[in-house]
Amino acid sequence: MSNHRDTRAPRGRPSTPAVFSAPSEQIPNQVGLALSHLAHLIDGALDIRGGPVDARSFAARSLGAGREEIVVDVRSLSPLDAVLVGIRLAALMEEHGVVGVMGGDGEPTPMWLSLDTDDGSERYPAEIYVSFAAGTLSTEPVVLGIERDWNSQSLVGFSVSANGARVREIVNTVAAEAGELSNPFRMRTVLADLENNRLRMRVTSNLDGDRSDVVLPDRVWSDLDRHVVSVFRSQARLAAAGLSTNRGVLLHGPPGVGKSAAVRALAASLVGEASIILCQSDVVMRRIDSLYGELGRLAPALVIIDDFDRIAPRGGEQMRDFLIAMDGVASRHQGVVTLATANNISQLDPAVRRAARFDAEIEVPLPDRAARGAILERYLRDIESVVDVPAIARATEGATGADLRDLVTEAVLVAADAPISTELLRTLARERIITVPRGVYL
Ligand SMILES: Nc1ncnc2c1ncn2[C@@H]1O[C@H](COP(=O)(O)OP(=O)(O)O)[C@@H](O)[C@H]1O
Ligand SMILES: [Mg+2]
């Protein structure tokens, strides 16, 4: 999804603001005030000559009324609602045509975003004011807007006070119609991050990866199947029996053993069965409540939190909000599986593990000799090589999957055009394994 201002058909005055760039310490206070006052006057004059400066002036002009006669109806929107309302508003603009458009913050051009959908991509306004002519949305002219600030977004409607009730009705209708649109994030892979302090959700490409490429003990896969995949596949039966269909799963083990790779492969296998939510660390830290608030409309959903121990260390302030949000899941939603990975669970706040927030802890161990052999085979598969794999597996005690992948990578770089040999791998392994201290979890 791109995030840019629409460059088509700018309306209103150009967006060059009146800026006095002289350093403020050179301007005596009184003079500064006078300049600021002057700037406002100039702004006001431009408003009259050129176009609107703020939403209220834009509305006043569109409604043919004085600025002071305008009343505003505001309805706050969740991040998902903001997208749906944007889509609905775009449809209304298309259907009725508009007599005027303005962006937020006095910008002449609105901000449009685009959303990847099953059949292409859809554009919708994220920050806009639109005026509809009399006899289109209503018998009176109407101004609607989508506003955003640091924390939140809202749908606004402007009217002269006599029409306040009618505009409130229109705002409510637009919100209701938006609520009936099909949720563009459901069953998709969604990246959840923050924009300013607002939760932002974007459809992203599905994760790739195949289980057969990640060499893990059978027990790890069967535990993941039981605690993640089966929860989705058995959801109806669980629900019918009055059992919870929410789960928390903690996948832990040393860095580099393939936890993230396993999660990717697992998520790839669930495409079409659940919404996959990739939760960035800033969301967990600051807006986890907003995210979990949306899950009801995304379920069945797999929420993936990578490197959870870095985000939520022992006694951290964010931990409390996270726990409250997770507890809320149990009572408010069905079909939400939270899958978190951690390098070191002893770093996690004990409260996370104690109160059954995570129903299952699955440990991914360092690969044993057989697993190291299988991982080496996997990475040597498409490379010309003459390698005694069991010998190298024996010589790489303590290495992780990531180490073995790097070992093969390095061998390819060193060998140039020659086939990879046992001796080369052995030499490189000796260098690496001696120089990389084991048991140091980063
Ligand atoms: N068990 C494994 N089997 C195959 N490849 C692995 C394995 N473990 C690690 N790798 C390789 O190393 C990369 C980094 O591992 P990663 O999944 O990020 O480890 P972790 O999340 O446990 O720190 C993986 O993308 C993969 O290429
Ligand atoms: Mg990882």
Side-chain angles (χ1 to χ4, degrees), residues 213-216 254-261 264 343 375 379 401-402 405:
D213 287 334
V214 192
V215 179
L216 294 179
V257 292
K259 301 180 298 295
S260 299
R264 272 200 306 277
N343 290 333
I375 295 170
Y379 289 111
R405 184 199 56 179

Side-chain angles (χ1 to χ4, degrees), residues 414-434:
V414 171
D417 287 337
I420 309 288
S421 69
T422 308
E423 212 31 58
L424 175 59
L425 284 177
R426 203 194 290 281
T427 310
L428 292 173
R430 212 173 285 128
E431 286 173 14
R432 296 184 70 85
I433 302 216
I434 291 167

Side-chain angles (χ1 to χ4, degrees), residues 20 34 114 140-141 242 284 325 419 430 441:
F20 295 99
S114 56
E140 306 293 329
V284 181
R430 212 173 285 128
Y441 295 169

